[in-house]
Amino acid sequence: MASSMAFKPFTGLRQSTPATSPETPTFFKTIKISPIIKAGLTSPKVAGRNLRVAVIGGGPAGGCAAETLAKGGIETFLFERKLDNCKPCGGAIPLCMVGEFDLPVDIIDRKVTKMKMISPSNVAVDIGRTLKPHEYIGMVRREVLDQYLRERAAGSGATVINGLFLKMDIPKSPSAPYQLHYTAYDGKTGAAGEKRTLEVDAVIGADGANSRVAKSISAGDYEYAIAFQERIKIPDSKMTYYEDLAEMYVGDDVSPDFYGWVFPKCDHVAVGTGTVTHKSDIKKFQLATRIRAMDKIEGGKIIRVEAHPIPEHPRPKRVQGRVALVGDAAGYVTKCSGEGIYFAAKSGRMCAEAIVEGSENGKRMVNEADLRKYLQKWDKKYWPTYKVLDVLQKVFYRSDPAREAFVEMCADEYVQKMTFDSYLYKTVVPGNPLDDLKLAVRTVGSLVRAYGLKREMEKIDA
């Protein structure tokens, strides 16, 4: 696909990865973990200043990356065009993220302790019975979360630039700077903004599914879904129903390959759906989601409509030279659940940690070997999670009978415990072998019953 840059070897310094080194392909085929690159004992010191790094994109990935860099002694520039951006996102975050990223309780709109999974035939299964008293799924608004993380990065020493990244000039030598071209909107430049440039030593692309940083390094394309969401202000009497409850709808009517959702926010609900295979029908699926939830959102007023692409697998290339991709720009959204907030924040932090470590807190130049350490850790830690969810989506989201079987499985407490433990703490929880065998038998039984019911219904319709 895209070509890789190769730097010539140079004596006494760490050598960049050769152009022929394999990049990790998609997580959903046979994966090759990023190659281990042995770094040298020394790298060139940065003269008269600290290492300079630009983070493009001010969402969870960019905010967490910028904070980590700034705390680690890096001169950090965080670019974001829309400082009040409201990404169309369900806004669910796992419990581990609250503690791991030290998020204050007041930015969490709702603590969801109950969920309903609703089948194509409107069979509703209550899930969440295995949650412990202190466990919950956090619901946030992206404009609130993102602003908080940016402000925290600024408080740690990062320079936040209200600007639109346009392109960058790739350096000709291993220690020459990247020249970034952007349009600044700082209140002094007028509505049209002002064209400016900035030289930095490394770049983190956290600029979403349509990443311009990814294009700058020819990172390749990926399949993507369209997420469509409406924020609906419903009467207080109906909002009480969603006080600590979220709903997920499955069925060909709401999405042929994903699900519809109703997630509670502070004073409204977010109603949405998504699809990869039938993007042009997204508004039809959204209407179906509203119809499925009609009784519970009746009398509601749409206060915001949002749509956005969501990656379906990692890009063919995520690191080149001193440029790395994180979050949606790298393709870190899970199949089946469509979750991306935690993985965005985590990848931003892990990438920044690799730069801080490789630069000895900003005192030395970094190279591709340093950034690839982030990829190695990421792939080793999270590949199993992505693979499991990919398999689940392929098995259970392919037809309405399979979805009926999936919802039936969700009633099983063992399934709920495994699912929530894995989601809340971001690890693939090992199961009990005997219980796993019983679950496999029940899964097959559910699928057989669902397809048997479909055949009988087809006979009646005929």
Side-chain angles (χ1 to χ4, degrees):
M1 296 185 71
S3 60
S4 298
M5 284 187 63
F7 297 138
K8 295 179 181 180
F10 43 100
T11 305
L13 306 182
R14 287 171 291 183
Q15 189 169 319
S16 297
T17 309
T20 56
S21 293
E23 174 67 59
T24 306
T26 73
F27 281 105
F28 312 119
K29 298 179 182 178
T30 302
I31 189 170
K32 297 178 182 178
I33 300 299
S34 300
I36 296 175
I37 304 170
K38 293 184 179 180
L41 296 177
T42 61
S43 57
K45 287 189 175 182
V46 181
R49 59 176 177 83
N50 283 9
L51 191 78
R52 291 177 183 153
V53 177
V55 181
I56 312 301
C64 291
E67 179 189 15
T68 303
L69 290 170
K71 284 183 175 179
I74 310 294
E75 188 177 355
T76 306
F77 302 90
L78 175 60
F79 288 80
E80 174 56 48
R81 171 62 184 99
K82 297 179 180 178
L83 296 177
D84 60 348
N85 187 40
C86 305
K87 183 181 177 182
C89 171
I93 61 172
L95 181 62
C96 66
M97 183 173 180
V98 178
E100 187 176 344
F101 290 87
D102 195 24
L103 300 180
V105 176
D106 60 0
I107 72 166
I108 299 172
D109 284 346
R110 301 279 175 174
K111 294 182 178 180
V112 168
T113 56
K114 295 178 289 186
M115 295 191 74
K116 284 186 182 291
M117 180 69 70
I118 303 171
S119 78
S121 61
N122 280 327
V123 173
V125 169
D126 294 319
I127 57 179
R129 298 193 304 271
T130 63
L131 289 178
K132 299 179 179 66
H134 71 282
E135 293 179 331
Y136 63 88
I137 298 171
M139 291 290 169
V140 299
R141 284 165 289 157
R142 282 292 302 275
E143 63 269 27
V144 175
L145 174 66
D146 294 5
Q147 181 180 357
Y148 172 78
L149 293 174
R150 285 194 300 268
E151 289 178 353
R152 194 162 73 176
S156 298
T159 299
V160 178
I161 297 175
N162 183 195
L164 175 64
F165 170 75
L166 301 173
K167 63 178 183 177
M168 64 182 174
D169 299 331
I170 306 297
K172 303 295 185 181
S173 68
S175 57
Y178 289 81
Q179 187 170 67
L180 309 185
H181 301 266
Y182 68 99
T183 302
Y185 302 94
D186 57 8
K188 303 176 183 178
T189 57
E194 179 181 274
K195 296 292 188 297
R196 294 179 183 173
T197 60
L198 176 70
E199 290 187 345
V200 296
D201 302 304
V203 179
I204 295 179
D207 49 339
N210 295 321
S211 171
R212 292 187 176 183
V213 176
K215 290 181 175 65
S216 295
I217 62 170
S218 300
D221 295 323
Y222 46 38
E223 185 59 272
Y224 66 94
I226 287 293
F228 190 97
Q229 179 173 272
E230 294 167 317
R231 301 200 195 189
I232 301 177
K233 177 81 171 178
I234 59 177
D236 291 343
S237 58
K238 292 186 176 294
M239 195 69 209
T240 302
Y241 172 77
Y242 288 109
E243 183 177 1
D244 57 358
L245 171 73
E247 293 180 323
M248 297 171 66
Y249 294 83
V250 292
D252 278 336
D253 58 333
V254 299
S255 176
D257 55 344
F258 204 58
Y259 63 89
W261 64 85
V262 181
F263 287 169
K265 305 298 180 181
C266 57
D267 61 353
H268 62 276
V269 291
V271 181
T273 185
T275 179
V276 176
T277 58
H278 293 67
K279 296 181 182 70
S280 61
D281 293 327
I282 189 66
K283 290 186 177 180
K284 180 182 74 174
F285 301 139
Q286 177 67 9
L287 176 60
T289 304
R290 286 209 314 269
I291 291 173
R292 292 275 292 276
M294 182 182 298
D295 292 343
K296 288 159 284 190
I297 63 172
E298 187 177 9
K301 177 183 177 183
I302 298 173
I303 58 177
R304 185 187 293 273
V305 179
E306 306 160 329
H308 200 74
I310 298 177
E312 279 289 289
H313 59 77
R315 288 190 190 273
K317 184 191 299 180
R318 290 169 287 157
V319 167
Q320 178 174 287
R322 287 169 276 137
V323 180
L325 303 178
V326 296
D328 281 14
Y332 296 150
V333 176
T334 60
K335 290 283 191 81
C336 191
S337 66
E339 182 193 1
I341 297 177
Y342 174 82
F343 295 109
K346 186 67 173 180
S347 62
R349 176 178 282 184
M350 288 176 70
C351 183
E353 286 172 345
I355 292 175
V356 170
E357 180 182 355
S359 69
E360 295 183 1
N361 297 97
K363 302 305 180 186
R364 295 182 179 276
M365 182 60 66
V366 292
N367 64 18
E368 188 169 317
D370 297 304
L371 272 62
R372 283 192 175 275
K373 288 181 181 178
Y374 133 68
L375 284 191
Q376 292 157 17
K377 291 180 180 178
W378 176 269
D379 292 347
K380 182 178 180 180
K381 186 173 180 65
Y382 294 113
W383 176 79
T385 298
Y386 281 78
K387 187 62 179 178
V388 166
L389 291 174
D390 178 48
V391 171
L392 284 175
Q393 185 177 51
K394 288 177 178 176
V395 172
F396 292 111
Y397 281 18
R398 62 185 180 181
S399 68
D400 276 356
R403 295 182 187 103
E404 294 285 354
F406 177 61
V407 173
E408 182 180 324
M409 279 178 53
C410 288
D412 186 281
E413 286 200 10
Y414 179 66
V415 172
Q416 291 189 23
K417 178 172 175 53
M418 294 286 288
T419 301
F420 274 101
D421 285 355
S422 297
Y423 173 80
L424 292 176
Y425 303 107
K426 286 293 159 280
T427 58
V428 177
V429 178
N432 179 288
L434 180 58
D435 287 335
D436 286 344
L437 178 59
K438 292 178 181 178
L439 176 59
V441 172
R442 289 195 295 269
T443 301
V444 173
S446 295
L447 288 169
V448 169
R449 285 192 297 276
Y451 278 99
L453 177 61
K454 179 186 179 184
R455 286 193 296 271
E456 292 302 316
M457 294 299 295
E458 289 173 346
K459 290 178 183 178
I460 294 174
D461 292 339

